[in-house]
């Protein structure tokens, strides 16, 4: 056996990657929240703080029961209690919204005021009368909600992802750009009427925070659940404002921009779109981040499916308007268990667990497949797009919108994973096993990849 191992060593050395990614994790505990859906971590700003690592956690919870009360919750400086999650007691922010979705904080420059909570709400009948709402005063005694998402109209709209704040008309004020969905049930056997739009709500000249029903302007038809404001390069190295627009029901993925030289969006005849991908998948989530550690931003995209959901990365071309977006599928085969799968999908949202300049591990919500996963890169080689999919959490129902950050300044990353069917939010901590201590954490697990050496040695020991 020893001679065989010595014979194989030169080949083992040649085949080994320079680094095999590995991450340690520990479940710190959980805290109760009825029907938790979305979670968001936001770094606190605009007031005296004990450190630079003060994060507020926001949660939404809802049921599909008609007339049932839904809730928006917040936890100020959640890092104070991170080592005792069972002691976390969320503060009720509001119970007036039907089907609240993503909850976040409006950036301070928008109104020159900190602590303005933004709530997006609505989804499916009978809770499809949604809104984009602003609530000032966090943390503390919050004020009444101001609905900025247009005057009441016959067509009901739902808003899932938080708006992007961009000056769309060049007046110096930041406007709310958001995707929205209209889902109307028709008498059988007719299918529902579904419409998606990218729209911007124009901030008023004054008192925007106190003014409801901002004027609305449609950019394009298509995106239903979310969009992402980005600045992308064109030929010559200049940048233009653009919006990434995944379409779930439309099964398309596009980028939209204006040909106006000043990035003013008031002339519809100057608005252009280009297709990033149209392989008939249901595009659900998109982020702009450096996925492979080469120093260049990529698109991290999730497509949701009953039988074959995927996580993929698109490399951004030199000119986003005319170039080809190279696609790399880094995980696939996600499926919804059971026989009742219609209207369901997996996976959900993805979060990068970035600790340094190396290729990061990806934390992924399985949504309707009742799991959370880690996608661990096989190597740190930027050209290697292979990942290992490892289950992190098995739940009894939907795993909601996850969030992660170093919330207490210890260099590790903490994550919050809503378990809708368990009425609780799980709390995890992630550390870099490659650079970590020699002592493993109690009740922890390690997600990584077996090196070729360990595989071959195990084979030799077993078979002699």
């Amino acid at each position: 056996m020893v001679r065989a191992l010595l014979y194989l060593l030169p080949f083992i050395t040649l085949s080994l990657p320079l680094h095999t990614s590995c991450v340690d994790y520990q479940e710190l505990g959980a805290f109760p929240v009825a029907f938790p859906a979305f979670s968001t971590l936001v770094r606190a700003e605009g007031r005296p703080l004990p450190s630079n690592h003060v994060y507020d956690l926001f949660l939404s919870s809802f049921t599909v029961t008609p007339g049932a009360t839904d809730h928006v919750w917040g936890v100020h400086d959640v890092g104070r209690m991170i080592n005792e999650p069972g002691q976390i007691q969320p503060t009720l922010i509001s119970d007036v919204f039907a089907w609240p979705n993503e909850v976040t904080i409006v950036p301070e420059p928008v109104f020159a005021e900190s602590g303005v909570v933004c709530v997006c709400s609505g989804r499916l009948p009978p809770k499809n009368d949604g809104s984009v709402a602003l609530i000032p005063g966090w943390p503390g005694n919050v004020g009444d909600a101001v609905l900025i998402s247009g005057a009441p109209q016959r067509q009901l709209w739902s808003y899932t992802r938080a708006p992007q704040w961009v000056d769309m008309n060049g007046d110096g004020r930041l406007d709310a750009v958001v995707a929205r969905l209209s889902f109307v049930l028709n008498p059988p056997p007719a299918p529902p009427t579904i419409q998606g739009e990218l729209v911007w709500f124009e901030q008023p000249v004054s008192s925007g925070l106190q003014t409801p029903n901002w004027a609305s302007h449609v950019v394009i038809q298509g995106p239903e659940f979310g969009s992402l404001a980005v600045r992308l390069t064109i030929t010559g190295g200049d940048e233009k404002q653009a919006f990434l627009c995944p379409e779930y029901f439309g099964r398309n993925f596009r980028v939209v921009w204006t040909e106006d030289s000043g990035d003013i969006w008031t002339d519809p005849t100057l608005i252009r779109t280009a297709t990033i991908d149209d392989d008939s998948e249901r595009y659900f989530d998109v982020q702009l981040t450096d996925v492979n550690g080469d120093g260049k931003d990529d698109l991290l995209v999730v497509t949701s499916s009953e039988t074959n959901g995927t996580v993929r990365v698109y490399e951004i071309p030199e000119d986003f308007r005319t170039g080809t977006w190279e696609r790399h599928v880094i995980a696939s085969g996600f499926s919804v268990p059971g026989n009742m799968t219609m209207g369901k999908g997996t996976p959900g949202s993805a979060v990068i667990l970035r600790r340094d300049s190396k290729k990061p591990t990806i934390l992924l919500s399985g949504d309707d497949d009742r799991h959370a996963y880690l996608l661990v890169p096989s190597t740190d080689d930027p050209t290697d797009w292979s990942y290992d999919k490892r289950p992190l959490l098995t739940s009894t129902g939907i795993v909601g919108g996850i969030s992660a950050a170093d919330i207490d300044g210890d260099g590790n990353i903490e994550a919050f994973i809503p378990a809708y069917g368990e009425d609780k939010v799980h709390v995890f901590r992630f550390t870099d096993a490659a650079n970590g201590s020699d002592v493993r954490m109690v009740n922890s697990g390690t997600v990584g990849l077996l090196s070729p050496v360990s595989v071959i040695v195990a084979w030799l020991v077993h078979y002699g």
Side-chain angles (χ1 to χ4, degrees):
M1 182 183 74
V2 174
R3 285 197 300 269
L5 180 58
L6 291 174
Y7 173 78
L8 287 170
L9 278 177
F11 301 98
I12 295 171
T13 303
L14 290 174
S15 65
L16 277 176
L18 295 178
H19 172 74
T20 300
S21 297
C22 190
V23 60
D24 281 350
Y25 66 88
Q26 177 188 19
E27 181 167 9
L28 301 177
F31 59 94
V33 175
F35 307 112
F38 284 80
S39 72
T40 310
L41 283 168
V42 181
R43 179 173 287 186
E45 60 180 13
R47 54 189 180 274
L49 300 170
S51 74
N52 291 327
H53 288 271
V54 175
Y55 280 81
D56 293 344
L57 173 68
F58 296 98
L59 299 161
S60 65
S61 63
F62 58 77
T63 73
V64 297
T65 305
T69 300
D70 301 327
H71 301 88
V72 175
W73 306 93
V75 182
H76 176 55
D77 193 5
V78 68
R80 293 176 301 161
M81 297 163 284
I82 192 61
N83 292 313
E84 296 181 296
Q87 302 301 312
I88 295 176
Q89 296 182 338
T91 299
L92 179 64
I93 296 175
S94 178
D95 60 0
V96 303
F97 300 103
W99 202 311
N101 297 302
E102 188 170 29
V103 183
T104 188
I105 287 287
V106 177
E108 186 176 357
V110 175
F111 301 113
E113 182 173 331
S114 63
V116 178
V117 178
C118 181
V119 181
C120 289
S121 63
R123 181 64 65 87
L124 300 176
K127 295 187 174 184
N128 57 334
D129 187 7
S131 64
V132 178
L134 306 177
I135 305 175
W138 173 264
N141 296 320
V142 297
D144 294 330
V146 177
L147 308 186
I148 67 170
S149 48
Q153 50 191 320
R154 292 180 60 187
Q155 188 169 7
L156 302 180
W157 293 98
S158 298
Y159 303 84
T160 301
R161 290 294 190 179
Q164 311 282 295
W165 295 92
V166 178
D167 183 1
M168 299 290 281
N169 56 359
D171 64 357
R173 290 179 291 275
L174 298 176
D175 308 298
V177 187
V178 65
R180 64 184 183 182
L181 167 71
S182 174
F183 191 102
V184 179
L185 295 176
N186 296 313
T193 301
I194 301 172
Q195 181 182 353
E197 289 183 345
L198 181 66
V199 62
W200 60 281
F201 295 106
E202 182 178 349
Q203 185 176 166
V205 174
S206 62
S207 304
L209 186 52
Q210 292 78 38
T211 304
N213 304 328
W214 294 7
S216 62
H217 310 270
V218 176
V219 180
I220 60 168
Q221 304 288 324
E224 309 98 348
F225 296 134
S227 64
L228 185 63
V230 293
R231 294 197 65 84
L232 300 176
T233 58
I234 60 176
T235 301
D238 293 333
E239 290 186 344
K240 285 195 69 65
Q241 179 70 58
F243 294 91
L244 303 172
C245 298
E247 297 180 33
Y248 182 87
F249 293 107
R251 296 176 181 263
N252 199 4
F253 185 24
R254 292 182 292 167
V255 58
V256 57
W257 71 96
T258 175
E259 290 293 345
D260 183 89
S261 59
D263 284 334
I264 305 300
W265 294 74
T266 53
D267 186 349
T269 66
L270 297 179
I271 293 175
R272 304 286 186 269
T273 65
T275 298
I276 297 174
D277 207 344
D278 59 354
D279 60 347
S280 298
E281 298 295 334
R282 290 177 171 171
Y283 297 91
F284 183 68
D285 187 55
V286 58
Q287 297 178 49
L288 181 73
T289 185
D290 180 8
V291 177
N292 62 339
D294 65 353
K296 301 177 183 178
D297 281 334
D298 312 290
L299 304 187
L300 177 61
V301 176
V302 173
T303 67
S304 179
S305 171
E306 300 167 4
T307 57
N308 187 29
T310 70
V311 181
R312 47 183 66 184
V313 179
Y314 293 87
E315 295 187 73
I316 302 173
E318 182 177 342
D319 190 325
F320 75 92
R321 303 168 301 177
T322 58
T324 299
W325 301 70
E326 186 175 358
R327 178 213 306 161
H328 306 276
V329 177
I330 63 174
S332 61
F334 295 92
S335 61
V336 178
N339 297 321
M340 303 294 291
T341 62
M342 183 176 295
K344 298 181 179 181
T346 178
S349 57
V351 174
I352 291 286
L353 302 179
R354 190 181 305 281
R355 289 171 44 85
D356 49 35
S357 60
K358 297 176 182 177
K359 288 171 66 175
T361 295
I362 299 169
L363 175 61
L364 180 68
S365 161
D367 204 346
D368 284 318
D369 84 346
R370 308 170 190 169
H371 290 83
Y373 300 90
L374 289 178
L375 303 182
V376 184
S378 300
T379 72
D380 278 333
D381 181 357
T383 64
D384 182 0
W385 294 98
S386 59
Y387 282 72
D388 188 53
K389 179 174 70 175
R390 297 294 180 91
L392 173 71
L393 174 71
T394 300
S395 185
T396 59
I398 296 171
V399 174
I402 55 182
S403 56
D406 176 9
I407 64 173
D408 56 359
D410 65 354
N412 300 315
I413 298 176
E414 289 76 34
F416 295 84
I417 305 178
Y420 187 90
E422 300 178 46
D423 290 336
K424 66 174 64 172
V425 177
H426 294 269
V427 183
F428 281 80
R429 174 174 286 145
F430 298 92
T431 61
D432 188 349
N435 299 322
S437 66
D438 295 329
V439 180
R440 296 295 190 186
M441 293 177 288
V442 178
N443 296 325
S444 69
T446 300
V447 173
L449 299 176
L450 289 174
S451 72
V453 169
S454 61
V455 173
I456 294 173
V457 170
W459 182 87
L460 290 171
V461 169
H462 184 75
Y463 291 103

